[in-house]
Amino acid sequence: HVRSRRQRQMCIRDRLNAQHRALFEAIMEGRAEDARALSNQHIDYVQEVLADVVQQEAREQRAQRRQGL
């Protein structure tokens, strides 16, 4: 199932916002262990997204070189 770049960006944005909201709520409610776990999950997700972005940019650059652009 192929999604457009815009759809992927919206999905990522929504997930990041949900993570931020959950982390904020855990902090405000004094749930330190939950906040710690949520922050670790968030950092892992951000690293995964950034790695995917770098990989996609490399693919696009290779495709452009092949096309002589």
Side-chain angles (χ1 to χ4, degrees), residues 34-45:
D34 288 345
R36 184 175 292 109
L38 289 165
S39 67
N40 288 334
Q41 291 170 10
H42 175 65
I43 290 168
D44 290 344
Y45 179 68

Side-chain angles (χ1 to χ4, degrees), residues 40-54:
N40 288 334
Q41 291 170 10
H42 175 65
I43 290 168
D44 290 344
Y45 179 68
V46 169
Q47 288 175 333
E48 177 185 319
V49 167
L50 290 175
D52 288 347
V53 166
V54 169

Side-chain angles (χ1 to χ4, degrees), residues 1-25:
H1 172 231
V2 177
R3 288 189 277 178
S4 73
R5 176 181 279 181
R6 179 75 177 134
Q7 288 172 318
R8 285 191 308 270
Q9 289 172 340
M10 288 172 50
C11 183
I12 291 167
R13 183 201 62 212
D14 290 346
R15 186 164 174 188
L16 289 172
N17 284 337
Q19 289 174 346
H20 289 163
R21 191 171 25 260
L23 180 56
F24 174 78
E25 289 171 4

